[in-house]
Amino acid sequence: MNTELAECALLAADMEYYDARFQEDSQALIFSLMQVSTWKSDYIFDIFMVRDALRRQKEDGSLAHIFANEGIVKILHGSDNDLKLLAADLDMIMVNLFDTARVLGFIHKLPENFEDGFQIGKNMNFLSLDKLTKLFLDIDMDKFFQVSDWAIRPLPEGMMNYARSDTHYLIPTFLLVVQ
């Protein structure tokens, strides 16, 4: 797995976490799952099981090294909390990051008649990943488990499928967005 990840040019990633509100005015995010996809494979890391190992591994070929490799484009969608969790919990950073939500948010702010290329009407919101996959790939994503308790174990099959799909379609979506 690490060899495939280290040798790929494009890598999609996403993190699942549980928003545990102990009091109305406080927030505690519990980093629970990380998904990573290449063209060939989808990987799911149970952070509860591998947290300590991921924190220790910093050598060539480790996930920390792969995320910090500027030669690999890391594709995420709506990455703000993901990047904070990755840095705070696993002491990892990502470089050469492309956030599809941020890019399309920027494009959405352009005038409607901006060049003859990609057009998004002002009444449309394509910032959600399921809307992007529908627009670019004509794939309907099931987002039923988006706001779920990602701390439960074992994870039901539906939650695992949801998690996998969140990164599985990011690379082809990215390629269509940048065209």
Side-chain angles (χ1 to χ4, degrees):
M1 171 197 67
N2 284 20
T3 303
E4 178 188 350
L5 295 177
E7 293 176 354
C8 68
L10 302 172
L11 181 128
D14 188 39
M15 289 74 184
E16 303 301 338
Y17 50 87
Y18 176 62
D19 187 356
R21 295 184 186 266
F22 300 106
Q23 299 173 357
E24 205 170 296
D25 61 344
S26 69
Q27 183 180 31
L29 300 179
I30 301 171
F31 188 7
S32 306
L33 210 69
M34 178 169 35
Q35 309 91 268
V36 177
S37 292
T38 67
W39 273 112
K40 296 179 194 175
S41 307
D42 301 308
Y43 301 99
I44 297 178
F45 299 88
D46 183 341
I47 298 302
F48 297 145
M49 300 296 291
V50 298
R51 177 177 275 114
D52 291 337
L54 290 175
R55 285 176 177 162
R56 284 191 309 271
Q57 296 174 353
K58 303 295 180 193
E59 67 277 351
D60 285 355
S62 69
L63 201 54
H65 189 261
I66 291 164
F67 283 167
N69 182 340
E70 61 190 33
I72 301 171
V73 177
K74 274 64 80 181
I75 307 157
L76 286 87
H77 184 85
S79 63
D80 293 351
N81 281 334
D82 295 354
L83 296 176
K84 290 175 190 174
L85 286 170
L86 200 58
D89 197 345
L90 301 180
D91 193 30
M92 292 184 190
I93 60 164
M94 279 195 189
V95 297
N96 199 4
L97 169 71
F98 188 97
D99 187 323
T100 53
R102 285 197 178 252
V103 169
L104 286 168
F106 172 75
I107 291 172
H108 187 70
K109 291 178 182 175
L110 295 174
E112 284 190 59
N113 59 354
F114 182 76
E115 307 232 352
D116 291 327
F118 185 72
Q119 298 284 321
I120 295 180
K122 290 298 175 190
N123 61 341
M124 301 171 118
N125 177 5
F126 290 111
L127 297 186
S128 68
L129 184 57
D130 59 324
K131 290 180 183 174
L132 284 180
T133 57
K134 182 65 178 170
L135 174 69
F136 289 113
L137 305 173
D138 198 27
I139 293 172
D140 291 308
M141 293 181 69
D142 182 2
K143 301 302 268 185
F144 179 79
F145 292 107
Q146 184 170 17
V147 182
S148 296
D149 180 354
W150 289 97
I152 64 169
R153 295 296 184 272
L155 287 173
E157 184 179 347
M159 289 177 78
M160 292 293 286
N161 290 337
Y162 165 84
R164 184 184 77 59
S165 71
D166 253 10
T167 55
H168 183 78
Y169 299 115
L170 267 176
I171 293 174
T173 300
F174 160 79
L175 292 172
L176 291 169
V177 166
V178 297
Q179 279 183 338

